[in-house]
Amino acid sequence: MSSPKTITNAQIVGQQGEETVGQLAYRMGFLFSHHGPIDAGIDGFLEIRDPINGQVTGKFVAVQVKTTSDGPYVGETETAFEYTMRPDDVAYWRGTNVPVIVVLVHLGRRTAYWKSVEAGTGTGARRLRIDKTRDVFDETAADAIANLCVDREGFGVYFPPLNQGETAHLNVLKVHFPPTAYVAFSPYKTGRQALFALLESEDRPPDDWVVRGGQFMSFRDPRAGPLAEIVDSGTVEPIGSEELAFPDEEADEYTFIELLRRTVAARIEGTLSFDRHRRIFYFPAHPQKIDQAYYYESLKNRTSAKVVKTYRKDDKLKYVRHHAFEPRFWLVDNEWFMSVTPTFHFTWDGFRPDKFASSRLTGKKQREFNSALNGQLAMWRYLLLNQGHDQAPDMFRTADPADPAISFEATEPLELQRAVPEAIWQQAEPEMTDPGLFADDLR
């Protein structure tokens, strides 16, 4: 006589849990498919779908369902509890080519919570800490789960969250330069030779000029000051700036870019310093006080940033961080633009270069996300549009092309159809108390 077939209570409970996950997924607007009758640690897959227009994306999140019918969770309090993943599960899940989440279903309480397996902590990164408010598996989790599909290794590639669009502010400014430039022959073949000659008579000569192959060019008339010493005054010729701005030869375009960079540096001299090695502008420290703040108009209100900040350990100065940006000039559709890429400059004491700067910069950038970058960009844009002045009536004022000095104009923001997934980028600026957390500092 054959034995009767049986289905255990655990199998029924597990099936109920998967059905619960499927129902909740459909409420989010996602698709849920069971993996099959045999699985090695993945019960099903969520396919991300836009609930507004119904578009499916081909982006998947693997789901492992853990179901209980009664009793408390491990370490449970009113606000949180823990779930410890098995070592073989962790190894399997982290070897997949799709993100994996664990969904914890409690049938008796009719609750479900979720967590990415990448959020594990402790030995072997196996402990998941579940927040009963933040980690509920329901419609409020849709964007966070969709954000798991972001490719963070690419150049800003992301899967957009499932909500309305937003305004994107570009990190480029339109460049306005004077209508007239000056060219002349120089007895010096290079700018270095010309600079040495200027320093013989001037302690701080103007720097907004270029000499290449015995050819001088500047937006400044060299006949009216110390620059007369490095040109043949009889050959000085005023020309339309467009003749320099739109050359036929690529080498001449690079020369004009260098002229723009030097002219910008002269315009903001006294507010920012320039690192010639990294070719970045940065806020300098003052001898009387290293820490510095800069007040500016953000996108919403007046605020400030700690643009020069000391980091200490045991009351001993370890290093100083300076806000900085890398300028790059671009010719687009017969107009010149300057992109502003926020970065950081590091010194030992506000003045001497920090030999561990590259390691600190790497660590800093790994912890700087979208909200922090937006704030830095707003600050740099305010400073450049207002030529370094702390007070200005309008952050987005239009530069006057007739202004005899170089100036900038804000580019119009873009209206995106979808919002950037802010949750995955948000993070406050870290208070790095120990430079030893970087590998190069341990040598």
Side-chain angles (χ1 to χ4, degrees), residues 175-178 180-182 206-210 216-220 227 241 244 255-269 274 276 279 281 327 329 338 384 387 403-408:
V175 179
H176 290 289
F177 41 82
T180 302
Y182 297 86
D207 195 37
D208 51 352
W209 51 270
V210 173
F216 169 93
M217 66 178 64
S218 176
F219 296 116
R220 180 195 297 267
L227 294 182
S241 296
L244 300 179
T255 300
F256 184 71
I257 288 174
E258 178 63 14
L259 176 60
L260 288 178
R261 199 274 304 164
R262 288 177 175 273
T263 307
V264 170
R267 188 67 168 165
I268 56 181
E269 185 178 9
F274 185 71
R276 295 185 181 276
R279 303 184 73 79
F281 292 104
F329 295 91
M338 185 179 76
L384 292 167
Q387 309 299 347
D403 189 332
I406 199 168
S407 57
F408 298 97

Side-chain angles (χ1 to χ4, degrees), residues 380-406:
W380 289 122
R381 182 168 50 186
Y382 178 86
L383 184 149
L384 292 167
L385 290 178
N386 297 292
Q387 309 299 347
H389 296 298
D390 193 36
Q391 303 283 344
D394 185 2
M395 174 178 173
F396 294 103
R397 68 190 178 102
T398 300
D400 181 2
D403 189 332
I406 199 168

Side-chain angles (χ1 to χ4, degrees), residues 54-268:
Q55 180 180 353
V56 290
T57 65
K59 301 285 188 179
F60 294 88
V61 175
V63 182
Q64 176 68 16
V65 183
K66 298 294 182 181
T67 310
T68 185
S69 57
D70 55 28
Y73 289 110
V74 174
E76 184 171 11
T77 66
E78 292 184 359
T79 59
F81 64 91
E82 292 182 355
Y83 172 74
T84 302
M85 302 178 285
R86 298 186 336 192
D88 55 341
D89 282 340
V90 172
Y92 176 65
W93 292 333
R94 290 180 179 162
T96 65
N97 62 350
V98 294
V100 181
I101 64 173
V102 175
V103 180
L104 301 160
V105 178
H106 198 298
L107 296 176
R109 302 177 187 173
R110 302 177 66 84
T111 59
Y113 303 95
W114 74 282
K115 205 77 170 182
S116 166
V117 300
E118 299 298 331
T121 61
T123 303
R126 298 191 294 118
R127 184 183 304 159
L128 297 178
R129 182 71 173 172
I130 309 298
D131 185 303
K132 291 183 179 180
T133 300
R134 187 177 61 244
D135 300 327
V136 178
F137 187 76
D138 62 9
E139 293 92 332
T140 63
D143 279 353
I145 292 174
N147 290 343
L148 296 177
C149 297
V150 171
D151 177 10
R152 302 192 196 187
E153 299 302 320
F155 295 96
V157 178
Y158 69 94
F159 178 78
L162 308 177
N163 52 28
Q164 69 274 11
E166 67 176 5
T167 300
H169 297 275
L170 303 180
N171 71 324
V172 294
L173 300 172
K174 184 181 293 185
V175 179
H176 290 289
F177 41 82
T180 302
Y182 297 86
V183 297
F185 289 112
S186 172
Y188 304 97
K189 294 296 183 183
T190 67
R192 180 182 293 272
Q193 294 173 354
L195 180 59
F196 287 157
L198 279 176
L199 289 173
E200 291 181 359
S201 58
E202 292 286 333
D203 291 332
R204 298 183 62 85
D207 195 37
D208 51 352
W209 51 270
V210 173
V211 171
R212 292 284 190 275
Q215 179 78 20
F216 169 93
M217 66 178 64
S218 176
F219 296 116
R220 180 195 297 267
D221 188 340
R223 296 168 294 188
L227 294 182
E229 296 187 18
I230 62 170
V231 299
D232 182 346
S233 298
T235 66
V236 174
E237 179 183 1
I239 63 173
S241 296
E242 291 80 5
E243 294 187 41
L244 300 179
F246 309 111
D248 295 327
E249 300 294 331
E250 185 175 4
D252 294 335
E253 184 174 304
Y254 291 148
T255 300
F256 184 71
I257 288 174
E258 178 63 14
L259 176 60
L260 288 178
R261 199 274 304 164
R262 288 177 175 273
T263 307
V264 170
R267 188 67 168 165
I268 56 181

